[in-house]
Amino acid sequence: MERESMEFDVVIVGAGPAGLSTACRLMQLANEKGQELMVCVVEKGSEVGAHILSGAVFEPRALNELFPDWKEKGAPLNTEVTEDHIYLLNDDTSSRKLPNAMTPKTMHNKGNYIVSMGNVCRWLAEQAEQLGVEIFPGFAAADIFYNDDGSVGGVITGDMGVGENGEPKDGYMPGMELRAKYTVFAEGCRGHLGKTLIEKFELDKDSSPQHYAIGFKEIWDVDPEVHQEGLVVHSAGWPLSDATGGSYLYHAEDNQILVGLIVDLNYENPHLSPFDEFQRLKHHPVISQYLKNGKRVSYGARAIAKGGFNSLPKMTFPGGLLVGCNAGTLNFAKIKGNHTAMKSGMIAAETIFEAISENPESPTKELNTFTENFKNSWVYDELYRSRNFGPAIHKFGNFWGGAFNTLEQNFFGGNLFVNLKDEHKDYAQMKMADECQKPDYPKPDGVLSFDKLSSVFLSNTNHEEDQPCHLQLKDDSIPIQVNLPKYNEPAQRYCPAGVYEVIEEEGEKKFQINAQNCVHCKTCDIKDPSQNIRWVVPEGTGGPNYPNM
């Protein structure tokens, strides 16, 4: 197909913290040197921040480097952490508060801020545009454009106005080729183009498998009498008996509380429902004391890349780079990835600018110097010191893994002479349904706990209905013929948005995909035991529209 094309020096896919930091740093360098540089950012959400979901307690280290005057510029970091509480939840009513000395110091948050990362990204986008970056929200990077020599030459945005049958509708607009000397992929966790590049260039051949969790988040307006602005609460233990993970509850500004649960996706029981585990959590007294007279105002879910140092792929390939959570730079020992994502993007920008400055017309295809620059940075050191954190939890469980991590982080600074690794892929851990017990999930009460559909409503998720399904099955028969008898088709439960159902029509079981509900969390692409679901981008602007996540 003949497509219109636009030429840039650098194209960045994704207007999250990594992509926007890449863009800002590139233009800072260009402006400092008086060099003209054309940089664009494409973002599949309806606006910058629409698809951003993060806890988030934010460590400002990278931001301090990128914009030392961020306070004067009005960055939305308004709530400094005042206190850390960490609990071990024993069962549905009892708990034990752990002294700080008994918890990894990586979990201590003095000097950090409780933020909406959606709003931080909106602010970063303003800074980028003031520096001269072009940002195109509502345009999904659907495919990769390759040069004749096999190097990456840019991206192709998704066609608009294609019907469910694959035929153009009235108002059809073909996607454009956005060509660049370098393309930076900053799509976030399990980016569909990043996944393609990792496979094509075998970027993970020397790494442990990437590991994932699903993170839930709700925003609540709460009674001012129970609100303690700046308080950070984390917990481990109940309700997760068949999985590892933990909860968070952050007291933000304006009498709002951010509450969520992180469930590791290496769990074995196919009957487990991460969504229902989260709903149970909110009834525990440690959590419910803050929420019981409040009102839930937002809901969302997103996969988290938590493999850390051992799972980092090679981040360079001919024509571009992987940065941020697309590469897996999150530090799970801190439950933080925004500062590391930003720093990886800044290193990418500095490497790219140097290469273009040395040879503007034909810069080197593969940015091998990025690898050395990354290794010499604090983000590499930080991830290295946390390399054992996730594998310890996977191998020893929350309690003993937590004890190991406290010992290593607090007494050895992350440099214990042990290298723990988890070489098992998350999706391959699932056991047969008849080997596992079904959890007894109580019905939601509509006060603290809710059903999936009312939750999805609060995510403001929307897709154009008459379009090809963006949740593609490699083999249509597998859900009913393989996954249902073996695993009781777990897509019905691991999806946090009610996208997948097994229904009965004329006496026969049928697998139904409600793609309209999809919140773009990517869990299906990760956890399906048959690896039969492939998540691709829908039309631009589709998906959630998070106001403050």
Side-chain angles (χ1 to χ4, degrees):
M1 178 188 294
E2 286 289 327
R3 298 181 183 273
E4 290 187 33
S5 66
M6 295 176 67
E7 298 275 353
F8 297 91
D9 292 298
V10 183
V11 167
I12 299 165
V13 182
L20 291 169
S21 296
T22 306
C24 288
R25 187 67 187 127
L26 272 167
M27 295 308 293
Q28 284 176 342
L29 291 166
N31 294 342
E32 286 169 13
K33 302 292 185 183
Q35 186 169 327
E36 190 172 325
L37 208 61
M38 294 195 60
V39 177
C40 91
V41 179
V42 287
E43 163 58 41
K44 64 184 173 68
S46 60
E47 64 170 5
V48 173
H51 290 177
I52 297 293
L53 185 148
S54 183
V57 171
F58 180 75
E59 182 175 317
R61 185 173 185 178
L63 183 61
N64 290 338
E65 295 177 11
L66 185 61
F67 292 108
D69 58 345
W70 58 262
K71 286 186 180 179
E72 291 76 13
K73 288 181 179 291
L77 279 66
N78 304 318
T79 306
E80 192 164 358
V81 175
T82 57
E83 245 183 303
D84 277 301
H85 293 177
I86 300 180
Y87 290 88
L88 182 63
L89 306 186
N90 302 316
D91 52 36
D92 60 349
T93 58
S94 68
S95 63
R96 185 173 18 162
K97 187 179 177 185
L98 302 176
N100 280 352
M102 289 181 61
T103 60
K105 63 183 180 182
T106 53
M107 300 286 289
H108 304 166
N109 288 292
K110 184 178 180 181
N112 296 332
Y113 293 82
I114 298 169
V115 302
S116 157
M117 276 312 295
N119 290 337
V120 171
C121 287
R122 291 180 178 98
W123 179 84
L124 282 171
E126 290 173 7
Q127 310 314 305
E129 288 181 325
Q130 288 172 19
L131 288 164
V133 177
E134 294 187 62
I135 301 178
F136 302 138
F139 287 87
D143 210 346
I144 300 165
F145 172 77
Y146 293 98
N147 297 313
D148 292 340
D149 62 2
S151 63
V152 171
V155 295
I156 303 170
T157 62
D159 297 343
M160 304 287 280
V162 178
E164 188 176 0
N165 60 4
E167 296 296 321
K169 301 183 293 187
D170 291 342
Y172 167 74
M173 288 177 55
M176 292 184 64
E177 291 178 359
L178 303 179
R179 301 185 183 184
K181 294 167 183 170
Y182 295 111
T183 309
V184 179
F185 294 84
E187 303 164 279
C189 173
R190 194 73 167 194
H192 87 288
L193 297 182
K195 177 184 170 185
T196 300
L197 290 163
I198 289 169
E199 291 172 356
K200 178 179 177 63
F201 293 108
E202 298 182 320
L203 302 179
D204 61 349
K205 66 179 180 180
D206 298 320
S207 310
S208 294
Q210 186 58 264
H211 297 288
Y212 301 91
I214 180 172
F216 294 88
K217 180 179 179 180
E218 291 179 350
I219 302 178
W220 286 66
D221 290 332
V222 300
D223 186 339
E225 290 189 7
V226 299
H227 187 255
Q228 301 174 50
E229 188 168 312
L231 174 62
V232 166
V233 180
H234 287 110
S235 79
W238 190 89
L240 299 178
S241 57
D242 288 337
T244 52
S247 80
Y248 64 90
L249 184 145
Y250 305 151
H251 290 245
E253 57 196 303
D254 299 328
N255 296 316
Q256 286 197 322
I257 278 179
L258 322 174
V259 60
L261 180 69
I262 295 170
V263 182
D264 292 348
L265 288 176
N266 66 336
Y267 65 81
E268 298 176 341
N269 187 343
H271 304 296
L272 185 141
S273 166
F275 175 88
D276 290 299
E277 299 287 348
F278 175 40
Q279 301 310 309
R280 284 208 295 170
L281 167 79
K282 290 179 288 177
H283 288 272
H284 195 283
V286 167
I287 308 296
S288 65
Q289 63 178 314
Y290 301 113
L291 305 182
K292 58 187 176 184
N293 294 317
K295 179 186 178 184
R296 186 178 71 147
V297 296
S298 195
Y299 164 86
R302 184 71 170 93
I304 301 166
K306 54 174 286 290
F309 181 83
N310 295 328
S311 300
L312 284 175
K314 185 171 178 270
M315 295 163 71
T316 70
F317 48 86
L321 294 165
L322 291 176
V323 296
C325 289
N326 216 4
T329 58
L330 180 139
N331 180 350
F332 201 65
K334 291 184 174 181
I335 326 178
K336 292 178 185 64
N338 292 306
H339 67 298
T340 51
M342 290 177 68
K343 183 61 176 177
S344 71
M346 292 156 65
I347 297 167
E350 289 158 4
T351 307
I352 289 169
F353 184 78
E354 183 181 17
I356 291 177
S357 297
E358 287 177 356
N359 190 345
E361 295 306 315
S362 183
T364 180
K365 287 289 185 184
E366 184 151 358
L367 293 163
N368 293 315
T369 53
F370 172 86
T371 304
E372 196 62 32
N373 294 340
F374 187 76
K375 283 186 175 180
N376 291 332
S377 70
W378 58 256
V379 67
Y380 182 91
D381 178 65
E382 183 177 312
L383 293 177
Y384 176 79
R385 289 172 183 268
S386 302
R387 68 196 181 283
N388 290 327
F389 199 94
I393 297 292
H394 285 187
K395 287 176 181 291
F396 309 134
N398 273 335
F399 183 81
W400 291 111
F404 172 91
N405 287 328
T406 301
L407 174 71
E408 182 179 43
Q409 296 300 322
N410 292 6
F411 295 97
F412 293 92
N415 281 319
L416 194 63
F417 298 111
V418 174
N419 287 309
L420 301 179
K421 293 189 176 183
D422 182 354
E423 303 293 349
H424 304 289
K425 295 181 178 179
D426 289 346
Y427 73 86
Q429 303 311 298
M430 201 166 272
K431 292 183 175 178
M432 299 294 160
D434 58 11
E435 297 176 25
C436 302
Q437 188 171 352
K438 288 185 179 181
D440 182 18
Y441 293 120
K443 288 185 178 179
D445 65 359
V447 178
L448 293 174
S449 50
F450 305 90
D451 61 22
K452 284 184 180 178
L453 293 185
S454 66
S455 300
V456 173
F457 177 78
L458 290 179
S459 72
N460 301 306
T461 294
N462 187 56
H463 296 83
E464 167 61 45
E465 289 196 41
D466 186 14
Q467 65 171 302
C469 182
H470 68 281
L471 303 161
Q472 299 178 350
L473 301 180
K474 297 174 187 174
D475 184 335
D476 291 349
S477 70
I478 282 178
I480 299 303
Q481 294 185 13
V482 178
N483 285 356
L484 187 61
K486 284 187 173 182
Y487 310 106
N488 192 22
E489 186 42 271
Q492 302 173 91
R493 292 171 295 282
Y494 60 60
C495 172
V499 170
Y500 302 101
E501 290 183 283
V502 175
I503 61 172
E504 193 163 314
E505 283 188 357
E506 298 177 357
E508 289 193 4
K509 301 283 187 185
K510 180 183 174 184
F511 189 61
Q512 180 166 292
I513 300 176
N514 307 307
Q516 176 78 354
N517 291 1
C518 179
V519 294
H520 297 202
C521 74
K522 311 292 182 67
T523 305
C524 56
D525 194 287
I526 295 163
K527 189 58 179 171
D528 178 53
S530 299
Q531 290 294 278
N532 188 48
I533 300 174
R534 180 171 176 258
W535 193 101
V536 300
V537 289
E539 274 193 12
T541 76
N545 285 279
Y546 297 133
N548 285 318
M549 297 292 240

